[in-house]
Amino acid sequence: MILIVRSVSKWYPELFLVCAVLLYWIFTATLINPIAIILITALNAQLVIKNKSFGILLAAVFMLLSVFMTFALFTEVLQIESFIPQGLRMLVAGVSLFSFTGYFGLALLQKNIAYRPERLSIEND
């Protein structure tokens, strides 16, 4: 069991971002959503190919999207007439989702930037 958790733990950023995009796709209530399809395809490609530069680009896209959506959420909350029941629920749910998305985008960035040099072989002279 521990081996399964350790092997899956290196995929946590990608798996959470896939779940976040699926949640976005469900909440839009449209079957053909090109943004969600592109993001799911890009995340699946990253899981299969594991390209460092593509992972950095994908992490930057998700961090920028989470910042943009947080600002859009605050703009939407300012336009609500009754803040207490409706706006507070929307603010808490949205900020938590976008903060987790930003965090896992940062984790994906840190995962792809990590530099691990190869060990130098020491030969006997």
Side-chain angles (χ1 to χ4, degrees), residues 6 16 57 59 62 70 74-75 77 93 116 118-119 125:
R6 283 188 184 167
F16 177 81
L57 177 70
F62 273 101
T70 303
F74 283 128
T75 303
V77 165
R116 295 183 188 98
E118 297 295 325
R119 297 185 97 182
D125 290 330

XYZ file of all heavy atoms in Angstrom, residues 6 16 57 59 62 70 74-75 77 93 116 118-119 125:
122
model
N 3.416 6.025 -2.658
C 4.653 6.701 -3.063
C 4.764 6.830 -4.576
O 5.249 7.826 -5.085
C 5.864 5.949 -2.532
C 6.096 6.193 -1.081
C 7.393 5.597 -0.634
N 7.544 5.764 0.796
C 8.442 5.134 1.506
N 9.269 4.284 0.926
N 8.512 5.335 2.805
N -4.427 16.329 -9.500
C -5.326 17.342 -8.961
C -5.756 18.318 -10.048
O -6.926 18.724 -10.090
C -4.682 18.119 -7.814
C -5.576 19.203 -7.303
C -6.592 18.910 -6.424
C -5.426 20.511 -7.730
C -7.441 19.897 -5.971
C -6.263 21.509 -7.292
C -7.279 21.202 -6.398
N 5.707 25.219 -18.754
C 4.707 26.022 -19.452
C 3.303 25.729 -18.924
O 2.516 26.652 -18.683
C 4.771 25.741 -20.960
C 3.730 26.450 -21.814
C 4.034 27.940 -21.863
C 3.700 25.854 -23.197
N 2.504 24.580 -15.949
C 2.400 25.115 -14.589
C 2.167 26.620 -14.612
O 1.346 27.139 -13.850
C 3.666 24.790 -13.807
N -1.475 27.287 -15.558
C -2.419 27.048 -14.467
C -2.299 28.096 -13.369
O -3.309 28.498 -12.783
C -2.252 25.643 -13.892
C -3.070 24.629 -14.625
C -2.491 23.803 -15.568
C -4.417 24.520 -14.380
C -3.243 22.878 -16.251
C -5.184 23.601 -15.066
C -4.595 22.774 -15.995
N -9.365 34.149 -9.780
C -9.567 34.745 -8.462
C -10.005 36.194 -8.595
O -10.926 36.647 -7.900
C -8.279 34.639 -7.626
O -7.902 33.271 -7.531
C -8.477 35.205 -6.236
N -13.629 37.860 -7.423
C -13.815 39.058 -6.598
C -14.675 40.095 -7.318
O -15.492 40.766 -6.696
C -12.479 39.664 -6.199
C -11.795 38.908 -5.096
C -10.478 38.501 -5.236
C -12.457 38.607 -3.923
C -9.846 37.810 -4.226
C -11.829 37.906 -2.902
C -10.516 37.509 -3.055
N -14.519 40.215 -8.612
C -15.359 41.135 -9.377
C -16.814 40.693 -9.340
O -17.722 41.516 -9.191
C -14.868 41.194 -10.834
O -13.503 41.576 -10.843
C -15.672 42.183 -11.639
N -18.242 38.853 -6.979
C -18.756 38.997 -5.615
C -19.140 40.445 -5.337
O -20.117 40.714 -4.637
C -17.716 38.479 -4.593
C -18.036 38.926 -3.183
C -17.642 36.963 -4.653
N -15.840 28.960 -1.623
C -15.622 27.843 -2.546
C -14.654 28.224 -3.662
O -13.747 27.456 -3.998
C -16.953 27.387 -3.136
N 18.515 17.699 -10.764
C 19.198 16.591 -10.097
C 20.368 16.152 -10.973
O 20.191 15.414 -11.928
C 18.236 15.429 -9.889
C 17.121 15.767 -8.954
C 16.229 14.562 -8.730
N 15.066 14.955 -7.992
C 13.890 15.234 -8.525
N 13.706 15.145 -9.817
N 12.875 15.591 -7.779
N 23.559 14.217 -12.369
C 23.973 12.819 -12.322
C 25.230 12.711 -11.461
O 26.040 13.625 -11.389
C 24.265 12.321 -13.745
C 23.068 12.337 -14.651
C 22.000 11.367 -14.204
O 22.340 10.282 -13.684
O 20.822 11.721 -14.330
N 25.377 11.590 -10.837
C 26.568 11.378 -10.015
C 27.773 11.188 -10.916
O 27.714 10.505 -11.931
C 26.388 10.158 -9.148
C 25.257 10.304 -8.158
C 25.201 9.138 -7.268
N 25.909 9.507 -6.057
C 26.080 8.672 -5.055
N 25.657 7.455 -5.121
N 26.700 9.067 -3.976
N 42.708 5.648 -10.327
C 43.878 6.042 -11.153
C 45.027 5.143 -10.920
O 45.356 4.648 -9.963
C 44.282 7.478 -10.852
C 43.233 8.452 -11.375
O 42.599 8.123 -12.372
O 43.095 9.502 -10.753
